[in-house]
Amino acid sequence: MASLQLCLRPFPGQRRPIFGSRLRPVRCADDRQALFSRIAPAYDNLNDLLSLGQHRIWKRMAVSWSGAKEGDNVLDLCCGSGDLAFLLSEKVGPNGKVIGLDFSKEQLLIASSRQDLRSKACYKNIKWVEGDALYLPFSDSYFDAITIGYGLRNVVDIRKAIEEMFRVLKPGSKVSALDFNKSTHPFSALTQEWMIDNIVVPVATGYGLAKEYEYLKSSIAKFLTGKELEKLALEVGFSDARHYEIGGGLMGNLVAYTIDAIHA
Amino acid sequence: MVRVNRMLLRDGGVGICKTLSEILVCPLSKQPLRVCEKSNSLISDAISVSYSIVDGIPCLVPNDGKIIEADDTLKPDGAIDSLDRKREGQGDSP
């Protein structure tokens, strides 16, 4: 019970430490949750505008890499407004199930509204859950595939998030994590930085979200490189992990999978 | 009768579908959850915490869980009696 109290909110109006010496990670998580809730109304439009629609291609690639197929139970973490969840829904069909999990209620409400507006019967197989990627509300070895799009970079503990994904994934299944690429090539890194400073932030300013999108640069700087992500996935217990650079090196997709030792 | 009630509750933005209720576990204890229709929440009996359901979306962020005090009337068919009393009982975290 004591450890649970550490996890729960302080009294209303009382901003006191929840995790004791781990105060900073909790406050960061709250700040990020608030950020994604603020950008929710403009998120989809900005994704299209800033990537010139290419994010749709990258997301299709992420879904392909996940190996999701007809009848599967799949999870889309940090689902936001649901782009990947809808693509997964088409893959798994009416006999499959998609869970979209996010910690922003505002993003989930937009995802749910988009679901109501879409007429394809398979979209009824998507269920939305408000949750924390570091504390997944699912049993061990449940999902046939997991995707996470532009979410891994935003969690406060990347290792824990990967550990949770490993826990809830069935043996013989894959995680596909799409995100910005933290490039080790100076030219790619400089190009990425230039684009954020001179295209992303000015466009976001037009939506009143300059500060929120300035966060992008620091979050990429703090993110792990492809090699580091591969290494971390292997340390957590995945049998193999490959990081693919796409979008001219601006984006990257980590594919990690477990071996089904019993049926191999 | 139960099935009809569940459908009515879902259409009214209350409760969650059976599929979801069978999949979800407590994010902290990883133990099964129980649907409490009176309080429109999911109950983790393992650690005596309730998680709310809003507009059909279960809120399973650990920070948003509410401790159920031992003297709250939260038996399987009960409702949470006092959400504020449990907060008063919380001391400073160690």
Side-chain angles (χ1 to χ4, degrees), chain A residues 111-152:
Chain A
S112 183
S113 301
R114 291 173 81 195
Q115 183 184 28
D116 290 340
L117 288 171
R118 292 183 177 207
S119 56
K120 276 194 187 174
C122 63
Y123 294 142
K124 291 192 196 328
N125 66 5
I126 308 173
K127 306 297 172 196
W128 309 106
V129 175
E130 188 180 341
D132 189 330
L134 306 187
Y135 298 92
L136 293 179
F138 310 112
S139 302
D140 296 0
S141 307
Y142 183 80
F143 291 104
D144 298 294
I146 298 177
T147 57
I148 174 169
Y150 302 102
L152 199 54

Side-chain angles (χ1 to χ4, degrees), chain B residues 10 21 41 45 47 53 58-59 61 67 74 81 87 89 94:
Chain B
R10 194 164 65 250
S21 66
S41 61
D45 288 317
I47 56 171
I53 300 168
C59 305
V61 176
I67 293 178
L74 197 65
D81 198 27
R87 290 187 187 277

Side-chain angles (χ1 to χ4, degrees), chain A residues 79-196:
Chain A
C79 67
S81 55
D83 279 354
L84 281 166
F86 291 121
L87 292 173
L88 285 167
S89 174
E90 291 170 8
K91 278 279 183 185
V92 306
N95 293 326
K97 281 199 288 285
V98 180
I99 306 288
L101 181 139
D102 200 280
F103 69 173
S104 164
K105 170 55 63 66
E106 283 75 8
Q107 294 271 3
L108 289 171
L109 287 175
I110 290 174
S112 183
S113 301
R114 291 173 81 195
Q115 183 184 28
D116 290 340
L117 288 171
R118 292 183 177 207
S119 56
K120 276 194 187 174
C122 63
Y123 294 142
K124 291 192 196 328
N125 66 5
I126 308 173
K127 306 297 172 196
W128 309 106
V129 175
E130 188 180 341
D132 189 330
L134 306 187
Y135 298 92
L136 293 179
F138 310 112
S139 302
D140 296 0
S141 307
Y142 183 80
F143 291 104
D144 298 294
I146 298 177
T147 57
I148 174 169
Y150 302 102
L152 199 54
R153 177 177 37 88
N154 296 308
V155 299
V156 294
D157 188 335
I158 295 175
R159 173 181 288 270
K160 189 149 198 303
I162 295 178
E163 284 172 349
E164 275 290 86
M165 286 191 267
F166 181 76
R167 179 181 69 79
V168 303
L169 198 59
K170 268 187 205 168
S173 303
K174 293 184 208 168
V175 166
S176 174
L178 168 68
D179 218 307
F180 281 88
N181 178 36
K182 184 179 174 184
S183 179
T184 51
H185 297 288
F187 180 73
S188 294
L190 277 171
T191 305
Q192 202 176 54
E193 206 173 302
W194 185 92
M195 288 179 76
I196 293 172

Side-chain angles (χ1 to χ4, degrees), chain A residues 10 15 30 43 46 79 85 89 99 110 116 123 177 201 212 236 241:
Chain A
R15 301 290 293 173
D30 283 349
Y43 190 61
L46 279 169
C79 67
S89 174
I99 306 288
I110 290 174
D116 290 340
Y123 294 142
V201 172
E212 285 77 5
V236 163

Side-chain angles (χ1 to χ4, degrees), chain A residues 39-108:
Chain A
I39 69 175
Y43 190 61
D44 291 337
N45 282 348
L46 279 169
N47 283 343
D48 270 333
L49 202 52
L50 295 170
S51 70
L52 300 177
Q54 285 188 84
H55 73 103
R56 295 167 189 269
I57 299 170
W58 302 326
K59 284 167 180 166
R60 286 190 179 276
M61 292 170 78
V63 167
S64 282
W65 264 312
S66 76
K69 59 189 183 306
E70 176 81 35
D72 277 353
N73 292 330
V74 298
L75 172 65
D76 181 35
L77 275 184
C78 307
C79 67
S81 55
D83 279 354
L84 281 166
F86 291 121
L87 292 173
L88 285 167
S89 174
E90 291 170 8
K91 278 279 183 185
V92 306
N95 293 326
K97 281 199 288 285
V98 180
I99 306 288
L101 181 139
D102 200 280
F103 69 173
S104 164
K105 170 55 63 66
E106 283 75 8
Q107 294 271 3
L108 289 171

